[in-house]
Amino acid sequence: MKRIVCIAAMLFLIVNVSRVHAENSVPVYYQIARTRKDFFPSSFYFEKNVLYRRKSSIITDKVDLNGKEKERDLMGETIGLYVHIPFCQKHCHYCDFLKFVDMDDKINDYVAYLLKEMALYQNEKYHLDSIYFGGGTPSYIDPSLVTEIMDGIRKNFCVEEDCEISIEMNPESVTAEKIQTYLENGFNRFTMGVQSFNDEVLKMMGRLHNRQTVLDKVALCRAMGIKNLGIDLMFANPKQSMEVLLEDIEQAMALDINHISYYSLMIKEGTPFERWVQTQQIQVVDDDDEREMYHTIQKTLKAYGFDQYEISNFSKNQSMSLHNSKYWTLQNYIGIGMGASSNMDLVRFTNTSRFDKYFEMIDQGEVPVQYTEKMSFEDREKEYIMLNLRLLRGFDIQEINQKFKIDFMTKYKAAIDKHLQAGVIEIEGNIVRFTDFGLDVGNQFYLDIL
């Protein structure tokens, strides 16, 4: 049963990982269990069944690599940091991220506890090469609170000089004062949640902005000196015909931006969209039309100089997201805030999503972890293959052989031969990647390697 759950979880991750950056890009597909001692590296300890982080200045972690225990000094390890800001002005009709509306009275206390949670990591001397503010709507909160959070990060972590510092923004909450504060605090990557330029589509989605607001706020960002600016768009929305999609793309190409994340709408449980689909108030775009839209996006963005580097992500001038690449390549990162997830070697853990538990656990000196998962080395290997194949560059056979002590071509020979013949994957030198066809039908390859 455990194996079946893990397989289903991996497939869920492949479909969803690029859509969940606002919840730290790791969906909660853990085996649901309270914290267990054997789930955690030696940088944690238990006392009366409560999980704590060690306060020593030297922290080691033992990881079983192919049957051999290797001890690794984590002092000064370089990782990513995700900060979850779960407050919004309004619920969007498609969104199931952890978020709260009409709870502004909680914001100041929440930020105070973010700082306390950071302090639990202070003695581990982590270096940060990426920081990502997601939500929720990070641009919704007062800019002075963003300064407090960044001051806390710099106090408790070593922020690298060239650290990528990203923030998600909604057009309606962007102001000159906020932009100035972000720039003063070292933010150098900005993403605006646009979703569409069609006002009818935006209204259906429950968005607060309109087309003109986006144009005005993008112009403001550029006028104030923002150099690395991207937008999020969605396709296969209700009310979005191919004609509307082409208009969205045309408008996006007219903007002065250098990154686009373009996501296919997914109907999420518990959202108004799910209810409206069930009651036939809206219809889901059929699979053939959805794929035609995706291929149109790929072709058109390429013609305008955007390089596709991941299934849903396109960049100009090498403006790929360093932080999000950590999720696709299984690098270590810590998530702070309610509902934030972390990945440290073979261990994943996610924080509680309740205010009372989050405050209570931190007050008691506990890491506010609710769910945990310790992956086997075998499962991590398969996840590495699946996530890296989201990247158009694929992965290096020699690298995976060295990392996991395997012979990839021998171990997965049956699946490789089958999908080479079917035109799903291709191998060029030592690089394995999906073909264009494989980007559409890759789930079968994943099933065959599990």
Side-chain angles (χ1 to χ4, degrees):
M1 176 60 72
K2 181 178 179 180
R3 181 67 174 168
I4 294 172
V5 170
C6 189
I7 290 171
M10 284 185 182
L11 290 175
F12 178 82
L13 176 64
I14 300 310
V15 173
N16 288 278
V17 70
S18 68
R19 288 294 307 278
V20 294
H21 60 281
E23 283 190 294
N24 202 25
S25 296
V26 179
V28 181
Y29 68 88
Y30 316 103
Q31 295 210 217
I32 306 302
R34 287 300 298 170
T35 53
R36 282 176 37 191
K37 190 171 184 177
D38 60 311
F39 272 25
F40 288 87
S42 57
S43 52
F44 298 88
Y45 72 97
F46 280 76
E47 184 176 302
K48 296 181 180 179
N49 294 321
V50 174
L51 177 68
Y52 296 87
R53 273 192 171 272
R54 296 193 185 280
K55 298 300 183 182
S56 61
S57 60
I58 297 180
I59 300 163
T60 60
D61 185 25
K62 292 183 177 180
V63 181
D64 188 0
L65 300 179
N66 203 28
K68 297 180 180 180
E69 233 182 27
K70 292 188 177 182
E71 189 170 277
R72 178 167 61 83
D73 183 7
L74 292 182
M75 184 72 153
E77 180 185 5
T78 300
I79 64 171
L81 179 71
Y82 175 85
V83 182
H84 192 62
I85 307 297
F87 301 99
C88 288
Q89 186 174 347
K90 182 181 184 294
H91 290 294
C92 296
H93 298 154
Y94 56 88
C95 181
D96 69 341
F97 293 163
L98 178 63
K99 61 197 179 299
F100 302 95
V101 174
D102 296 327
M103 295 188 71
D104 290 11
D105 59 322
K106 294 279 191 183
I107 294 177
N108 286 338
D109 286 344
Y110 181 77
V111 170
Y113 276 84
L114 280 179
L115 302 182
K116 292 181 181 181
E117 185 183 359
M118 292 176 205
L120 299 175
Y121 296 92
Q122 183 177 31
N123 291 331
E124 302 205 17
K125 311 299 183 186
Y126 286 133
H127 288 235
L128 303 180
D129 63 358
S130 71
I131 301 168
Y132 193 103
F133 280 57
T137 310
S139 60
Y140 178 65
I141 67 173
D142 191 275
S144 65
L145 296 177
V146 174
T147 297
E148 286 188 34
I149 296 170
M150 284 304 302
D151 287 346
I153 291 172
R154 290 191 166 94
K155 177 181 177 182
N156 293 288
F157 301 91
C158 178
V159 179
E160 299 284 358
E161 185 176 347
D162 59 349
C163 181
E164 177 189 270
I165 308 178
S166 307
I167 189 166
E168 296 177 345
M169 310 181 297
N170 276 351
E172 72 278 357
S173 60
V174 173
T175 66
E177 178 191 6
K178 289 177 180 178
I179 293 173
Q180 186 61 40
T181 299
Y182 302 155
L183 292 170
E184 289 172 355
N185 281 281
F187 284 84
N188 50 29
R189 185 180 183 86
F190 300 81
T191 300
M192 193 176 295
V194 174
Q195 316 315 343
S196 177
F197 295 96
N198 182 282
D199 288 348
E200 287 300 311
V201 172
L202 289 169
K203 184 178 180 181
M204 168 67 72
M205 298 176 77
R207 302 294 286 178
L208 288 170
H209 67 271
N210 58 26
R211 173 182 175 276
Q212 190 59 49
T213 302
V214 175
L215 303 185
D216 293 343
K217 296 305 174 67
V218 168
L220 176 64
C221 288
R222 287 305 196 188
M224 295 193 65
I226 289 179
K227 297 178 180 178
N228 197 351
L229 178 63
I231 62 174
D232 288 351
L233 292 169
M234 295 180 70
F235 68 99
N237 294 302
K239 291 186 177 292
Q240 187 184 47
S241 62
M242 180 61 75
E243 180 182 359
V244 171
L245 175 74
L246 291 172
E247 290 173 353
D248 276 352
I249 297 173
E250 181 180 4
Q251 180 61 77
M253 296 302 95
L255 294 178
D256 185 12
I257 55 176
N258 46 20
H259 193 278
I260 297 177
S261 296
Y262 225 135
Y263 303 118
S264 178
L265 173 69
M266 298 181 66
I267 304 298
K268 298 297 186 70
E269 183 179 358
T271 63
F273 267 13
E274 182 198 37
R275 184 170 67 252
W276 296 342
V277 168
Q278 292 172 345
T279 57
Q280 299 184 346
Q281 295 180 67
I282 61 174
Q283 291 185 335
V284 178
V285 174
D286 69 43
D287 290 345
D288 289 341
D289 288 343
E290 189 270 350
R291 284 295 87 187
E292 183 182 359
M293 288 182 172
Y294 181 64
H295 297 154
T296 299
I297 291 165
Q298 290 178 300
K299 179 180 178 180
T300 309
L301 266 59
K302 181 178 181 180
Y304 278 88
F306 281 85
D307 296 318
Q308 184 177 11
Y309 66 98
E310 192 267 345
I311 286 177
S312 301
N313 285 275
F314 305 79
S315 73
K316 268 186 176 180
N317 305 320
Q318 299 296 309
S319 61
M320 293 83 75
S321 171
L322 171 64
H323 186 83
N324 285 340
S325 72
K326 292 182 182 294
Y327 306 139
W328 302 316
T329 56
L330 295 180
Q331 298 178 52
N332 286 345
Y333 56 87
I334 292 292
I336 62 171
M338 289 166 51
S341 299
S342 304
N343 178 80
M344 296 300 291
D345 298 313
L346 299 181
V347 182
R348 300 188 194 278
F349 44 101
T350 192
N351 284 353
T352 179
S353 58
R354 292 172 47 187
F355 281 105
D356 57 348
K357 291 298 295 181
Y358 182 70
F359 295 163
E360 176 187 350
M361 294 176 76
I362 291 175
D363 277 339
Q364 294 176 1
E366 304 173 31
V367 178
V369 171
Q370 182 176 7
Y371 301 120
T372 64
E373 178 197 35
K374 183 176 182 180
M375 300 187 72
S376 71
F377 209 63
E378 173 85 4
D379 286 339
R380 183 62 115 182
E381 170 193 314
K382 296 179 186 302
E383 186 183 39
Y384 179 89
I385 294 170
M386 293 188 289
L387 286 176
N388 274 267
L389 283 174
R390 288 190 62 93
L391 298 169
L392 269 68
R393 73 186 186 203
F395 62 86
D396 189 295
I397 295 172
Q398 291 182 345
E399 184 175 319
I400 193 173
N401 287 347
Q402 181 178 6
K403 187 177 184 71
F404 294 99
K405 313 302 180 188
I406 63 170
D407 184 330
F408 173 79
M409 296 298 292
T410 299
K411 182 172 183 177
Y412 297 104
K413 184 178 188 305
I416 292 168
D417 290 347
K418 173 183 176 180
H419 292 283
L420 278 172
Q421 184 174 0
V424 174
I425 62 171
E426 60 185 13
I427 300 178
E428 183 177 347
N430 285 315
I431 302 300
V432 181
R433 65 173 70 92
F434 276 141
T435 62
D436 290 342
F437 175 62
L439 291 175
D440 289 338
V441 300
N443 278 351
Q444 186 57 53
F445 178 77
Y446 300 145
L447 287 170
D448 287 341
I449 68 171
L450 289 174

